[in-house]
Amino acid sequence: MALTREEREQFLAEPHIAAFAVDAEGSRALLTVPIWYQYAPGGDVWIMTGRDSRKNRLLGTAGRFSLLVDVVEPTIRYVSVEGPVLDTAPATVERLRELSARYLPADKVDGYVDFAWRNHGEQVVVRMRPERWVSSDLGSL
């Protein structure tokens, strides 16, 4: 059964690891990798990636991407969202902290942020406006 708008937005707002997909051009399949993301109901989705990463280069060409999040407990449920890239901006330590706090235990955030800011290279924040949604709750099979 498809989720209601409120259910799918709330599900996407939870801290799931997403499967990120973007057109890889040519004879290659989509680039699909796990990624952290941020979303609040009714808003835009954003991700953070390396400025010089393959993901960012492909985003610049494709101009859009999709995310898929799913769980199998307590029921099989998923939400897929796809839309255009709205903008790309240099990442800030505040954005890195916000994203990290979504996924890590509170006592691990500062250490991870310090490490990532020093070692992951220059990062960018990419915002996407959700245009197309696919969702379902298959219940417990």
Side-chain angles (χ1 to χ4, degrees), residues 24-130:
E25 303 179 313
S27 62
R28 294 185 73 171
L30 296 175
L31 171 66
T32 307
V33 295
I35 197 164
W36 289 354
Y37 69 94
Q38 181 63 292
Y39 175 75
D44 299 326
V45 174
W46 64 267
I47 62 164
M48 189 176 294
T49 190
R51 186 193 70 191
D52 298 322
S53 69
R54 181 168 179 237
K55 283 191 298 280
N56 197 41
R57 287 192 309 275
L58 292 172
L59 281 168
T61 301
R64 60 190 315 107
F65 67 94
S66 63
L67 296 177
L68 169 69
V69 296
D70 67 333
V71 296
V72 295
E73 298 273 337
T75 66
I76 299 169
R77 179 179 273 207
Y78 70 87
V79 169
S80 176
V81 62
E82 181 250 335
V85 171
L86 298 176
D87 60 48
T88 301
T92 63
V93 76
E94 291 80 16
R95 284 289 195 177
L96 176 58
R97 186 173 310 285
E98 177 184 345
L99 194 58
S100 301
R102 178 174 165 87
Y103 291 95
L104 299 174
D107 63 329
K108 303 293 184 190
V109 172
D110 289 340
Y112 175 78
V113 168
D114 290 344
F115 171 82
W117 195 252
R118 284 192 320 269
N119 295 291
H120 287 173
E122 194 170 343
Q123 302 284 302
V124 293
V125 171
V126 181
R127 285 188 323 122
M128 177 256 280
R129 167 103 4 99

